[in-house]
Amino acid sequence: MEPLEEVVEEYSWREVVLPSLIPVVPELELERETGERRRGRDLLVAIDHGPNSKHAYDWALVHLCRLADTLHLVHAVSSVHNDVVYETTRGLMEKLAVEAFQVALVRTKARIVEGDAGKAICREAERLKPAAVVMGTRGRSIFQSVLQGSVSEYCFHNCKAAPVIIVPGKDAGEQSVI
């Protein structure tokens, strides 16, 4: 029996150049701190233009981020060559980067990736090896998610590089079952 070769899928992406107004956070050199703390961690936050994504981003800033961490914002699109989508997403990522620095004093990197959202997020997690992947829910009911699938559910089951934290939307308790 021959060993199976793993097929590595190529994908397109575009780095997002974030504003230079954000100063570089110096490396902290504290005696009692562990190496991970001194270097900081990489945290991946999957974002889109919806309110649940913003809520998950806010949750990550308040509950997960600490000094010297790097927040990686990832947004999946169908085509990275669509300039309207790129510019709209770049504007959102710039705003979030400024907020991340003001709230948690963390560095931010951003990337727009092409392809299926779940697969693209898992690929980015595999590339970065972050401490955690944070994402919001789409706001569907349980039945809709089961019938149509969900990006957060896909990442939860298929992302092997890091733990996936799914932050429920603000109105999660108020959603109807149907």
Side-chain angles (χ1 to χ4, degrees), residues 5-117:
E5 290 184 28
E6 185 175 327
V7 178
V8 178
E9 237 181 83
E10 287 294 318
Y11 66 101
S12 300
W13 54 270
R14 286 175 77 176
E15 288 292 334
V16 177
V17 179
L18 297 173
S20 60
L21 300 173
I22 301 172
V24 174
V25 178
E27 294 290 327
L28 297 177
E29 294 296 330
L30 302 175
E31 290 177 24
R32 296 180 310 228
E33 297 291 337
T34 64
E36 180 183 281
R37 175 78 177 204
R38 269 186 267 130
R39 283 190 316 272
R41 302 167 302 165
D42 290 314
L43 302 169
L44 190 150
V45 179
I47 63 160
D48 59 21
H49 298 278
N52 289 341
S53 171
K54 176 66 167 103
H55 180 65
Y57 167 82
D58 291 340
W59 183 92
L61 281 184
V62 172
H63 298 287
L64 203 57
C65 289
R66 58 188 185 204
L67 219 54
D69 284 351
T70 301
L71 199 60
H72 295 268
L73 304 177
V74 175
H75 179 64
V77 295
S78 57
S79 172
V80 293
H81 304 294
N82 184 334
D83 289 332
V84 173
V85 171
Y86 176 79
E87 288 302 319
T88 304
T89 303
R90 186 184 60 77
L92 172 66
M93 289 179 162
E94 284 180 359
K95 202 166 71 171
L96 294 176
V98 170
E99 183 180 340
F101 184 75
Q102 291 172 339
V103 172
L105 295 174
V106 295
R107 288 177 271 204
T108 306
K109 293 184 179 181
R111 183 177 269 204
I112 299 171
V113 294
E114 184 176 288
D116 178 61

Side-chain angles (χ1 to χ4, degrees), residues 126-144:
E126 190 63 39
R127 181 182 71 84
L128 291 169
K129 305 282 192 237
V133 175
V134 180
M135 56 193 332
T137 58
R138 189 168 183 176
R140 294 180 179 164
S141 71
I142 291 174
F143 290 126
Q144 288 173 323

